Amino acid sequence: MLITGTAGFIGSHVAEALETAGHDISGFDLRNGDDVRDADRLERALRGVDAVVHQAAKVGLGVNIADMPDYVSINAYGTAVVLAAMARCRVARLVLASSMVVYGEGAYDCAAHGRVRPGPRAERDLAAGFFEPRCPRCAAALTSAAIGEDAPADPRSVYATTKLTQEHLAASWARETGGTAVALRYHNVYGPRMPRDTPYSGVAAIFRSALEAGRAPTVFEDGGQRRDFVHVRDVARANAAALDAGVPGALTAYNIASGEPHTVGELAAALAAERGGPEPVTTGEYRLGDVRHIVASPDRAAEELGFRAGIGFAAGMRELATAPLG
Ligand code: UD1
């Protein structure tokens, strides 16, 4: 099978896991001169291949709107080129790296109105130190719940939009060619080789990089924002499970999560403790685009792919505290 993005953080672990599982793999990565937007190179790489595991993407939130064309080019157009090449080469199986960002905010319940979908938080709330989203009907504070794959999509960044576009393109490809696609919606992936502190990095890499430089991790808001931190080797195993499961149908999406949510404050505290300090500082700062809580139900992946994360938060953070970064 062909794995795209094999030089990247998650792609490199996926390649290792699939090789260990006995698959015959070949890699495709821009860092080796292989661009997913190059149809000729792709077609050569797809000869004799039975499945594509598409991990190559421009990730993170980006610096500003000037990044928009690059995200669309690499993630949306690039996936279209991959799918068209797969159709020409009669490759009928796709596993796609998607993301929890397609949901926007997580799932929320209002005491009076049940399950609701709050929009972006108001800046006056954030500036006043009120960080929980409000009920769109009565403005009461909400409680967060685990999100399932059937929740409506609400992409709130260019990156999120391109990840959802990838899913839609894959579904169209599958319907028109009779192929099958699985979209793995990764939650906050961490572990060895994760990229260092860049404008594109997630919070776990930022905290680890700060601690390594002797600086205190800066925790935004009040530190109570919840995420599902899932270890990269578990994510790699999920890709192997998705290939082996042979899920029928055009496109099925799965949360790939630990099922054990933690707050950003707990993340900072765990990493700081493992490194012996400095202690995290909670600043009350906020980023307008951030969502408050996004935690997942891992049940569909467990039932249909037989995948459950195996590396717990404490063990994963112990490893991340000193693991080599990319
Ligand atoms: C992140 C990724 C997103 C990816 C998703 C799932 C980025 C920027 N975001 O989204 O692309 O799809 O995981 O893997 O890569 N925070 C701090 N201190 C900091 C930085 C962040 O407290 O120094 C807080 C933020 O305010 C936020 C939380 O940590 O509440 C998570 O931030 P981050 O990892 O950047 O973004 P996600 O929304 O989780």
Side-chain angles (χ1 to χ4, degrees), residues 144-179:
S144 101
I147 202 156
E149 291 83 352
D150 295 332
D154 182 11
R156 294 186 181 183
S157 67
V158 177
Y159 172 67
T161 302
T162 61
K163 279 284 146 188
L164 188 60
T165 301
Q166 289 185 323
E167 289 194 10
H168 289 159
L169 292 171
S172 302
W173 161 83
R175 281 192 298 271
E176 286 187 30
T177 62

Side-chain angles (χ1 to χ4, degrees), residues 36-314:
V36 290
R37 294 164 298 183
D38 182 337
D40 293 338
R41 270 186 109 100
L42 261 174
E43 280 189 33
R44 281 198 294 278
L46 283 173
R47 267 183 220 134
V49 159
D50 63 344
V52 171
V53 180
H54 186 33
Q55 307 286 324
K58 183 175 173 76
V59 299
L61 288 179
V63 181
N64 58 40
I65 211 70
D67 283 340
M68 195 185 245
D70 252 10
Y71 276 103
V72 173
S73 177
I74 295 167
N75 297 357
Y77 176 70
T79 298
V81 175
V82 168
L83 295 168
M86 287 173 73
R88 278 194 297 279
C89 298
R90 302 190 190 290
V91 182
R93 281 200 300 155
L94 174 72
V95 176
L96 173 69
S98 185
S99 169
M100 56 80 162
V101 289
V102 301
Y103 299 120
E105 275 288 356
Y108 290 91
D109 294 319
C110 170
H113 298 105
R115 182 62 48 99
V116 290
R117 299 282 298 169
R121 294 173 290 171
E123 186 162 17
R124 65 173 180 283
D125 275 347
L126 298 171
F130 184 88
F131 298 115
E132 296 298 329
R134 293 179 184 276
C135 174
R137 294 176 61 190
C138 68
L142 301 168
T143 50
S144 101
I147 202 156
E149 291 83 352
D150 295 332
D154 182 11
R156 294 186 181 183
S157 67
V158 177
Y159 172 67
T161 302
T162 61
K163 279 284 146 188
L164 188 60
T165 301
Q166 289 185 323
E167 289 194 10
H168 289 159
L169 292 171
S172 302
W173 161 83
R175 281 192 298 271
E176 286 187 30
T177 62
T180 56
V182 167
L184 302 180
R185 293 179 177 162
Y186 302 158
H187 284 251
N188 292 61
V189 186
Y190 73 91
R193 305 200 286 267
M194 76 185 297
R196 278 173 192 282
D197 188 355
T198 75
Y200 304 93
S201 301
V203 64
I206 292 172
F207 286 173
R208 155 61 205 271
S209 299
L211 287 161
E212 193 170 8
R215 288 183 278 110
T218 51
V219 178
F220 298 158
E221 305 185 13
D222 58 359
Q225 57 275 47
R226 294 161 80 223
R227 294 290 187 280
D228 189 307
F229 299 98
V230 58
H231 195 283
V232 68
R233 286 195 298 275
D234 279 330
V235 170
R237 276 201 307 111
N239 277 268
L243 278 166
D244 294 344
V247 181
L251 180 129
T252 316
Y254 296 94
N255 285 325
I256 300 303
S258 71
E260 189 198 336
H262 284 274
T263 66
V264 169
E266 288 165 354
L267 170 77
L271 282 173
E274 288 297 341
R275 288 199 67 99
E279 283 299 301
V281 177
T282 303
T283 64
E285 282 169 85
Y286 54 87
R287 302 186 304 197
L288 273 182
D290 275 338
V291 299
R292 177 65 175 171
H293 307 293
I294 169 90
V295 301
S297 164
D299 293 347
R300 185 187 282 178
E303 283 156 22
E304 297 180 18
L305 303 180
F307 167 74
R308 271 206 190 276
I311 303 174
F313 185 74

